[in-house]
Amino acid sequence: MSQPSALSIRPATPADIPPLVEMVNAAFSIETFLEGQRTDAERLASTLQKGEILLAEDADGHVLGSVYIEFRGKRGYMGMLAVAPTQQGNGLARRLLTVAEDLFRQKGCEAIDISVLSLRPELIPIYDRFGFKECGTEEFRFARTFRDQDAACHCILMAKEL
Ligand SMILES: CC(C)(COP(=O)(O)OP(=O)(O)OC[C@H]1O[C@@H](n2cnc3c(N)ncnc32)[C@H](O)[C@@H]1OP(=O)(O)O)[C@@H](O)C(=O)NCCC(=O)NCCS
């Protein structure tokens, strides 16, 4: 794993969608239990209408990470936290989260909500280190289907007070 020399984090624009799609799908390719891909250009375009995507890039403009943030009154919603496979384990997710938290605070949010698939139990200790606590469960209601029709999956809701 290589540590990018100069890394910056900024809000994504529609022009960033093609490389973002590629990076996000590469990061989420670990979710082999789901059919299809995590996202596409159309989906990201509509995501950008609802909230903001923070994008991490190196000095050459390569997209290395992302996180979706949405302001919901006193609470912020965060999703699509993704780091390019070759860059994982270097602290980039924590850096993205720190920037996201600052923006949520600036907008007056008092907590952040996230949702984690129960088929990804390895994520719970990671979000725990980031300060999130489990606070409930929800039915899985996304457009994608499971490769195994009998797969049992729900969403684990986690929240962090700011
Ligand atoms: C999950 C993901 C975003 C993490 O990105 P990353 O840049 O590798 O994460 P970081 O290097 O910032 O490390 C995250 C923290 O979790 C810790 N961690 C990593 N693996 C861990 C484990 N198995 N158990 C406990 N803590 C762990 C790290 O030590 C770090 O904590 P620290 O900053 O206190 O040392 C990245 O692996 C990814 O893109 N995965 C695919 C997409 C995905 O699953 N996104 C989340 C969807 S909800």
Side-chain angles (χ1 to χ4, degrees):
M1 279 172 283
S2 60
Q3 181 77 46
S5 48
L7 189 135
S8 56
I9 296 176
R10 63 170 174 84
T13 70
D16 298 309
I17 288 177
L20 258 174
V21 168
E22 198 178 325
M23 187 281 298
V24 169
N25 285 339
F28 279 92
S29 63
I30 191 169
E31 296 187 336
T32 51
F33 49 85
L34 286 166
E35 297 279 6
Q37 301 216 293
R38 174 69 168 73
T39 197
D40 57 33
E42 196 182 336
R43 224 158 155 186
L44 279 195
S46 74
T47 300
L48 276 177
Q49 307 272 318
K50 283 191 292 177
E52 282 182 32
I53 297 172
L54 299 177
L55 165 160
E57 65 185 352
D58 66 14
D60 298 322
H62 296 125
V63 175
L64 305 182
S66 70
V67 65
Y68 171 66
I69 59 174
E70 191 180 313
F71 306 105
R72 297 179 176 175
K74 293 275 179 202
R75 302 188 74 85
Y77 175 78
M78 199 180 84
M80 212 180 73
L81 180 63
V83 171
T86 56
Q87 303 297 325
Q88 292 176 10
N90 284 336
L92 183 46
R94 184 174 278 280
R95 287 179 66 174
L96 282 160
L97 183 66
T98 302
V99 175
E101 283 181 9
D102 286 345
L103 287 171
F104 282 132
R105 278 195 203 92
Q106 282 168 26
K107 290 275 187 180
C109 295
E110 294 168 357
I112 307 178
D113 296 310
I114 61 168
S115 173
V116 179
L117 297 185
S118 60
L119 288 175
R120 300 284 314 282
E122 74 277 14
L123 290 173
I124 304 296
I126 295 177
Y127 282 116
D128 194 58
R129 277 187 81 87
F130 289 154
F132 286 83
K133 299 282 166 247
E134 287 183 55
C135 57
T137 59
E138 205 174 68
E139 201 182 327
F140 177 87
R141 287 186 269 107
F142 302 117
R144 293 172 71 191
T145 54
F146 291 95
R147 281 190 204 281
D148 174 0
Q149 308 236 319
D150 299 325
C153 183
H154 62 272
C155 297
I156 299 168
L157 305 178
M158 299 184 83
K160 176 176 181 171
E161 301 298 322
L162 289 174

